[in-house]
Amino acid sequence: MEHPHEVTLPAGAIEVPPSSRWRRLPAIAGAVGVGALALSFALGRSDGPQLYHSYLVAYLFGLSLALGGLFFVLLQYATRAGWSVVVRRLAEHVMATLPLFALLWLPIGLWGFDDVFHHWAHPPPDDPVLAWKEPYLNPGAFYVRAAVYFAVWTLLAVWFWRRSRRQDEEREPAITRRLQSLSAPALILFGLTLTYAAIDWIMSLDPHWFSTIFGVYVFAGSVVAILAFLILVALSLRGSGLLDGVLTWEHFHDLGKLLFAFVVFWAYIAFSQFMLIWYANIPEETEWFIHRWHHGWQYASIFLAAGHFGLPFLFLLPQEVKRSRAGLTFAASWLLFMHYVDLYWLVMPSLHHEHFHVDLLDLTCLIGVVSLVFAVFAYLLVRGKLVPVGDPRLAESMALEVL
Amino acid sequence: MAHVAYDIDPVEHRPALIEGDPDFHGITEAVARPVEWRPPWGWYAVLAASLSLLGLFGVSIAWLFWEGVGIWGNNVPVAWGWPIINFVFWVGIAHAGTLISAVLFLFRQRWRTSINRAAEAMTIFAVMCALIFPGIHIGRPWLPYWMLPLPNQMDMWPQFRSPLMWDVFAVSIYGTVSLIFWYVGLIPDLATIRDRARTRLRRIVYGIFALGWRGSFRQWLHYEKAYLLLAGLATPLVLSVHSVVSFDFATSQLPGWHTTIFPPYFDAGAIFSGLAMVVTLMVICRVVFKLEHVINPLHFDRMAKLMLLTGSLVGYAYSMEFFIAWYSGNLYELFVFINRATGPYAWAYWTMVSCNVIVPQFYWFKRLRTHMGFLFVSSILINVGMWFERFVIVVTSLHADFMPSSWDYFKPTFWDLATLAGSFGLFFTMFTLFVRFLPMVAMAEVKSVLPQAHVHNRPK
Amino acid sequence: MNRDETTPSSAPPNARPAPPEAGGKLFGLLAELADPESLMRACARVRDAGYTAWDAHTPFPIHGLDRAMGLGKSWVSAFVLVLGLSGAAFGMLMQWWISTRAYPLVISGKPLFSWPAFVPVMFECGVLGGALGALGGFLYKSRLPRHHHGLFASERFERVTDDAFFISIEASDPRFDAEETARLLREAGAHHVELVHA
């Protein structure tokens, strides 16, 4: 396949102009984030378990987005993708927020640890199962593993982000070649760290419960989240007159198709996990779903199944929706919301298994974490080119046509 | 043998998919030749060998029907032995065809055009082999209609809460949809053979199956839409089929079988083994039928990368099962896994791990991804490993069940081995006939990925 | 463009009688183009000239030719959607009826209507319906299988499944005029134009 190598980038389309409202976003979002987190910690002083569970859900929401961004970038390099070059920079900035999550983890790791992980951190003496798991589920190993995760994520994110940015100046195809060859081993590190982080920070909340597919489940949700986020950011950049003639409806169509595919993939993994546990009906496994099928949680479960799969599946089916601003905006916003519901459904029943309860702290923590992540994202976004201008496949990406 | 004449993985531009810059007619000639010419003696040799194995299959099944399933090694506690292993093995082989034809189509991987036809054919033949095993394992092969949603003479209906019923639907629908997909893809190429026919008989026979195709673009428009939609349907279908096969095991309460990662893990393994089979067959076919420029190192490089991916996913699943077996604190679960690695079937377990996890790691090196000799040997090793994976899952979970007094060491009988070998006879007979009578490369699709098929300046 | 086979109702006003040297009724004109690019340009001209009973013939699908020919969207997807959803609904209803009405039997303590256990078969039936819809929709919309077609009378046309690119304009087209139309096709870049008699 021949592709034109020379690209004419529309002037003013690939950099955020000084007058743009995007320039003000980092400061605003940062202030909102700090304020909302300060409010959360003030409000939650008297109710540690509620505060730190709410905070954990919000934290996981932001983290899964950032990890989804890392996966998206690595996947594009590993598959030598051409179509996605014009959206890759957005994902790179999401990925580049990963170091922030080491900092945001501290409240959970330092102050909230006993409130969140007390089931296994202080096990009842007559529990042989938790005694058996002690070599894995103990605070020391837990902290060491967390340090390893953050080290791997920071290393990968910074390394890939820096080199992609350097290519903007140097226009060196060798950089792409190097990133390509390292993307596959990086994906292995990504897969392993994501799996064990999911076990440590979500599955261990119910320390008796276990499921081998759990890492895949969390992964599927993260990819849905990053795709939805990329679509929303790209749409609003286009709305501000940016990326005009660079990022086209062809790209949105492809992103929409991927979003649809991962909605189905998530449902497939979720159904496999549920059906196998429901079918075998072994008490130590079924207990986890029992908690999510009583005391009001059954409505959350039904809402999750319908909202994270049924509705978006039917909605995203027609081709026209994936090429429409209103259609994609709705689908992507809805799925980001449902991703939060999904994480809420994973975490919260371990705190409120005797009644369904939504707290004000859920909202303030979510606003706090998301605003801080968005502040960093927007800060990086406005300070550079919006697309990797030095990428050898940029012209191919801009010429994308979906058959 | 491992010469790569050009960079198959450049970043500055996309590599040519077909070597030697052929024109459209050159592709037609290269692909139609094996269908029209007298085949080389090697083809007759392979057909004769395959037919002998097929004869063995016939004898094995005839003897089974005469004597009963007692001729096999299946016995309590390993009541699900060899036939179910072979069933899962063959269904798995089938999966690469759909992956290449449907999944890679949706991902716009245009290199697939050189190999998708043969891979789809392989899918259909593998499903045929697979369906035979549960059919002959039911013990009363004259009552197969009991598997259909019909009442029997006692007015009993099938039991749809059984994963074995899901299997009946999943595998037979998979075979049907694969056949439709394959046939729709064949129509334009059958028309090519029809239009080139020199004898009346060929013209009539290929003409009937070409349905009167005349390359009309108004028809191409519907054709392409139907092909896209079939790909969109086949993609979730292929994932569901091996998931349903995995449900046969995973819905049970047996340690080593009941684990939630089975569906995606079985899918990855199925695609892994199927790709290995495609590689094995294509390494031979491209040489025998002089298609080296159409099926070239670039295609093997891409397939080897997919094998590296799926092999590593299988490795992830192995390690996850082991970790959670310990983490669960369930001693029975843990015992099964320790027994797999160190018990009487440790030889099978380590064969599986070496072939499935270690062998594909060599594909990190481009030299080995494009080395035909290495690809041939490694792809066969992978299929040995994938067969043993099913052996390990079925036999090690059953042979040491909850009651130690019934523990036993399963050994296959001569007829087990003969039936397995015979199923290869069926597979290779079908494949040998396919490469002789049908175009083994999707000509129309290959032509559409040649550089000269691309229109640069389109009119308004 | 719903029906893609042109089915003329009445004889065109300006159709010429068949020349004596060729047998049979005049089918139309067949023009051969050199490559996909010139075919696409020629198609745009034929489209702009207002012809309706015409077609392009190619050995492989050419991206963008549908627009050059002025063709609309293919509605095969409607067949797939309707039959796919019907298949899935049928699959679930069948299992519900067999398990709760025809032969209710408690298995492993599960309810008679165990929907999670019925999802796999429901899904497979949906896919089967969709695939049959894709096959049937494609055959119906392209009027296949078909025993014979006027163009098969042309010997040159045999290469359409190999490496040749054609435009055919049928004599039934109201704008068809053997000489005028042939001139248009030549001007549009055809290097060979012939009359085809069915």
Side-chain angles (χ1 to χ4, degrees):
Chain A
M1 274 285 291
E2 294 292 317
H3 283 286
H5 298 296
E6 292 308 310
V7 201
T8 41
L9 284 167
I14 53 155
E15 263 175 289
V16 180
S19 58
S20 167
R21 67 194 167 96
W22 286 89
R23 295 258 170 206
R24 295 195 296 275
L25 268 181
I28 298 173
V32 170
V34 172
L37 281 189
L39 181 67
S40 308
F41 285 104
L43 286 174
R45 240 175 342 177
S46 56
D47 189 357
Q50 178 66 53
L51 170 66
Y52 289 110
H53 277 83
S54 297
Y55 183 83
L56 178 64
V57 181
Y59 175 83
L60 290 170
F61 182 76
L63 179 68
S64 58
L65 257 185
L67 285 175
L70 176 63
F71 171 74
F72 187 87
V73 173
L74 296 180
L75 183 70
Q76 306 316 316
Y77 281 116
T79 55
R80 282 80 173 129
W83 72 276
S84 58
V85 172
V86 300
V87 284
R88 204 187 63 225
R89 178 55 50 85
L90 304 178
E92 283 169 4
H93 290 325
V94 182
M95 160 185 91
T97 62
L98 274 171
L100 172 69
F101 286 92
L103 190 69
L104 289 174
W105 189 79
L106 293 178
I108 305 170
L110 297 180
W111 312 309
F113 182 80
D114 282 343
D115 286 325
V116 177
F117 301 108
H118 63 93
H119 289 293
W120 56 263
H122 308 288
D126 56 345
D127 190 329
V129 175
L130 292 188
W132 170 271
K133 294 185 184 197
E134 203 270 337
Y136 185 85
L137 289 183
N138 67 72
F142 180 82
Y143 285 116
V144 170
R145 284 196 303 271
V148 171
Y149 307 149
F150 289 120
V152 169
W153 295 339
T154 304
L155 188 78
L156 290 179
V158 171
W159 207 86
F160 274 80
W161 188 83
R162 280 225 181 116
R163 268 150 196 81
S164 175
R165 289 270 300 216
R166 190 192 294 162
Q167 201 177 35
D168 286 3
E169 313 301 325
E170 297 177 5
R171 319 233 158 194
E172 196 46 70
I175 294 180
T176 302
R177 220 168 280 134
R178 183 129 180 77
L179 293 179
Q180 280 181 357
S181 59
L182 281 162
S183 58
L187 278 169
I188 293 180
L189 286 177
F190 162 81
L192 290 175
T193 48
L194 178 118
T195 302
Y196 285 94
I199 292 173
D200 283 2
W201 301 341
I202 310 179
M203 202 162 96
S204 82
L205 295 174
D206 197 338
H208 289 105
W209 187 71
F210 53 89
S211 170
T212 42
I213 208 174
F214 197 73
V216 188
Y217 180 85
V218 172
F219 160 78
S222 314
V223 183
V224 169
I226 185 65
L227 290 168
F229 182 79
L230 288 179
I231 289 172
L232 282 181
V233 171
L235 278 173
S236 45
L237 284 171
R238 285 296 311 269
S240 322
L242 293 160
L243 292 176
D244 208 13
V246 179
L247 204 155
T248 66
W249 278 107
E250 308 294 324
H251 301 102
F252 284 114
H253 190 178
D254 265 359
L255 286 169
K257 286 195 283 188
L258 276 178
L259 184 64
F260 176 79
F262 273 92
V263 163
V264 176
F265 182 71
W266 176 89
Y268 161 61
I269 297 298
F271 177 75
S272 298
Q273 174 169 277
F274 163 70
M275 197 276 286
L276 290 175
I277 289 175
W278 167 83
Y279 200 107
N281 207 4
I282 298 172
E284 64 224 55
E285 290 180 345
T286 314
E287 182 201 23
W288 194 80
F289 280 103
I290 301 269
H291 284 320
R292 283 153 186 80
W293 200 251
H294 289 282
H295 309 300
W297 281 102
Q298 65 269 40
Y299 304 111
S301 302
I302 294 169
F303 182 66
L304 183 65
H308 206 305
F309 171 64
L311 179 77
F313 173 82
L314 293 174
F315 185 76
L316 280 169
L317 207 48
Q319 188 177 314
E320 289 72 19
V321 174
K322 290 176 281 236
R323 300 183 76 98
S324 111
R325 165 172 284 275
L328 274 186
T329 308
F330 171 72
S333 323
W334 177 259
L335 279 167
L336 270 183
F337 167 64
M338 285 314 302
H339 178 59
Y340 179 78
V341 174
D342 184 19
L343 293 167
Y344 197 85
W345 178 85
L346 288 176
V347 169
M348 278 301 175
S350 78
L351 176 68
H352 296 302
H353 55 256
E354 69 296 336
H355 63 285
F356 178 77
H357 172 76
V358 179
D359 203 276
L360 179 65
L361 284 171
D362 296 332
L363 186 68
T364 55
C365 287
L366 180 67
I367 292 173
V369 172
V370 168
S371 301
L372 281 183
V373 174
F374 196 79
V376 175
F377 169 78
Y379 177 84
L380 299 173
L381 187 77
V382 299
R383 257 163 194 72
K385 304 275 193 295
L386 293 173
V387 289
V389 290
D391 193 291
R393 297 200 177 106
L394 181 61
E396 182 189 342
S397 178
M398 286 170 63
L400 173 72
E401 265 186 279
V402 177
L403 291 177
Chain B
M1 219 171 168
H3 294 306
V4 183
Y6 57 96
D7 185 5
I8 53 174
D9 203 11
V11 296
E12 291 88 353
H13 60 92
R14 293 295 174 185
L17 299 174
I18 309 296
E19 280 180 0
D21 200 18
D23 55 8
F24 298 130
H25 183 65
I27 296 292
T28 313
E29 285 295 332
V31 176
R33 191 195 300 127
V35 185
E36 294 168 348
W37 284 17
R38 236 183 113 77
W41 67 268
W43 182 83
Y44 289 102
V46 172
L47 183 65
S50 310
L51 281 173
S52 334
L53 280 176
L54 181 60
L56 182 64
F57 201 34
V59 171
S60 307
I61 294 176
W63 181 238
L64 172 79
F65 286 179
W66 184 260
E67 195 70 13
V69 285
I71 67 167
W72 286 338
N74 297 4
N75 209 338
V76 172
V78 186
W80 260 20
W82 210 260
I84 216 77
I85 299 168
N86 296 339
F87 165 71
V88 181
F89 173 75
W90 280 116
V91 180
I93 294 288
H95 277 53
T98 321
L99 174 94
I100 291 170
S101 57
V103 182
L104 297 185
F105 178 77
L106 295 182
F107 282 112
R108 294 196 292 262
Q109 298 296 303
R110 289 144 51 103
W111 57 270
R112 70 181 257 294
T113 57
S114 293
I115 48 169
N116 70 333
R117 171 71 43 73
E120 287 167 41
M122 192 197 77
T123 292
I124 290 159
F125 307 146
V127 171
M128 286 167 56
C129 293
L131 276 172
I132 287 177
F133 283 99
I136 61 177
H137 189 200
I138 54 176
R140 279 182 282 178
W142 55 92
L143 294 173
Y145 67 93
W146 281 19
M147 294 187 285
L148 303 176
L150 298 168
N152 66 13
Q153 72 275 24
M154 292 176 285
D155 208 24
M156 277 171 68
W157 287 77
Q159 204 284 94
F160 277 97
R161 274 155 291 182
S162 162
L164 301 181
M165 268 313 285
W166 311 345
D167 250 357
V168 173
F169 276 77
V171 180
S172 58
I173 288 177
Y174 181 48
T176 311
V177 173
S178 301
L179 191 65
I180 293 175
F181 198 27
W182 185 58
Y183 180 62
V184 169
L186 263 170
I187 291 172
D189 288 359
L190 289 170
T192 305
I193 305 292
R194 172 199 68 197
D195 290 346
R196 290 167 56 92
R198 296 221 183 84
T199 66
R200 194 172 157 73
L201 179 69
R202 287 182 75 91
R203 183 166 276 267
I204 290 173
V205 172
Y206 285 100
I208 287 172
F209 285 105
L211 304 181
W213 179 262
R214 58 179 188 284
S216 149
F217 196 78
R218 290 170 196 266
Q219 293 174 338
W220 274 122
L221 195 65
H222 299 307
Y223 173 93
E224 285 206 283
K225 190 74 172 185
Y227 199 84
L228 173 71
L229 292 164
L230 281 171
L233 289 165
T235 298
L237 176 66
V238 70
L239 295 184
S240 81
V241 171
H242 228 59
S243 300
V244 167
V245 171
S246 83
F247 292 159
D248 294 347
F249 303 98
T251 52
S252 72
Q253 297 174 339
L254 198 67
W257 283 9
H258 175 70
T259 181
T260 48
I261 206 170
F262 256 32
Y265 152 45
F266 267 49
D267 280 327
I271 289 166
F272 182 50
S273 68
L275 280 165
M277 185 62 100
V278 176
V279 167
T280 312
L281 293 172
M282 288 303 104
V283 167
I284 301 170
C285 286
R286 70 193 284 267
V287 178
V288 172
F289 298 108
K290 301 192 169 42
L291 288 164
E292 285 101 333
H293 61 302
V294 179
I295 305 167
N296 59 49
L298 181 142
H299 304 93
F300 289 99
D301 175 77
R302 307 298 193 259
M303 282 193 280
K305 281 179 180 168
L306 284 172
M307 285 195 282
L308 175 58
L309 168 71
T310 46
S312 302
L313 286 175
V314 166
Y316 170 88
Y318 293 165
S319 68
M320 213 57 224
E321 278 188 318
F322 230 112
F323 171 72
I324 295 287
W326 173 82
Y327 177 89
S328 69
N330 181 328
L331 296 179
Y332 300 94
E333 188 82 21
L334 186 62
F335 165 76
V336 164
F337 281 89
I338 290 177
N339 185 44
R340 276 182 189 178
T342 62
Y345 289 104
W347 59 273
Y349 182 81
W350 293 107
T351 306
M352 162 188 110
V353 171
S354 329
C355 292
N356 294 348
V357 184
I358 298 171
V359 167
Q361 301 309 321
F362 287 101
Y363 296 144
W364 285 103
F365 306 102
K366 188 192 237 165
R367 240 191 111 68
L368 295 176
R369 289 199 300 267
T370 50
H371 188 288
M372 295 305 146
F374 181 79
L375 282 167
F376 186 71
V377 174
S378 58
S379 63
I380 290 175
L381 282 178
I382 287 171
N383 261 323
V384 170
M386 283 308 297
W387 189 88
F388 271 103
E389 179 189 298
R390 283 64 175 249
F391 179 88
V392 166
I393 291 171
V394 171
V395 174
T396 63
S397 285
L398 288 172
H399 90 103
D401 65 359
F402 290 108
M403 196 154 60
S405 62
S406 60
W407 290 10
D408 200 359
Y409 188 82
F410 168 84
K411 275 197 289 292
T413 63
F414 167 79
W415 293 108
D416 278 318
L417 295 163
T419 317
L420 173 62
S423 66
F424 277 93
L426 174 63
F427 180 79
F428 285 117
T429 303
M430 296 303 292
F431 199 83
T432 316
L433 292 174
F434 157 73
V435 293
R436 170 71 182 86
F437 291 106
L438 290 172
M440 60 174 281
V441 172
M443 285 183 255
E445 290 198 50
V446 169
K447 287 174 196 169
S448 73
V449 301
L450 292 180
Q452 60 266 41
H454 189 72
V455 178
H456 291 280
N457 304 310
R458 289 194 211 134
K460 280 278 289 172
Chain C
M1 195 61 60
N2 271 353
R3 293 296 167 78
D4 302 298
E5 275 310 297
T6 48
T7 43
S9 48
S10 59
N14 50 1
R16 306 278 163 88
E21 68 272 13
K25 192 169 148 284
L26 177 67
F27 175 79
L29 276 164
L30 182 69
E32 187 177 343
L33 284 299
D35 51 44
E37 192 141 353
S38 48
L39 175 77
M40 197 176 285
R41 268 201 304 274
C43 280
R45 288 199 56 169
V46 175
R47 173 198 67 193
D48 294 341
Y51 287 90
T52 49
W54 69 289
D55 209 340
H57 305 266
T58 59
F60 51 86
I62 295 169
H63 182 45
L65 194 61
D66 49 337
R67 221 170 297 164
M69 287 176 70
L71 302 182
K73 186 179 152 154
S74 166
W75 283 100
V76 174
S77 37
F79 290 77
V80 175
L81 185 70
V82 170
L83 278 171
L85 291 178
S86 316
F90 169 80
M92 190 50 108
L93 276 174
M94 172 190 75
Q95 296 179 84
W96 167 80
W97 184 78
I98 290 176
S99 310
T100 67
R101 294 290 182 274
Y103 199 72
L105 188 67
V106 175
I107 301 281
S108 68
K110 291 183 167 49
L112 291 178
F113 181 64
S114 296
W115 69 266
F118 297 161
V119 167
V121 170
M122 176 192 77
F123 172 80
E124 306 295 337
C125 291
V127 170
L128 180 65
L132 292 175
L135 177 68
F138 156 61
L139 293 178
Y140 173 72
K141 285 293 204 176
S142 19
R143 289 281 179 277
L144 291 175
R146 177 167 182 133
H147 175 59
H148 190 64
H149 191 270
L151 288 173
F152 288 149
S154 163
E155 207 165 296
R156 217 182 171 82
F157 190 67
E158 282 182 359
R159 280 180 44 234
V160 72
T161 52
D162 178 7
D163 62 348
F165 303 87
F166 296 97
I167 291 179
S168 68
I169 302 185
E170 294 178 26
S172 57
D173 192 294
R175 288 176 185 271
F176 185 86
D177 176 293
E179 278 161 28
E180 274 302 306
T181 308
R183 188 179 311 133
L184 170 80
L185 288 167
R186 278 213 185 78
E187 279 172 14
H191 60 77
H192 176 92
V193 180
E194 68 180 44
L195 279 168
V196 181
H197 294 86

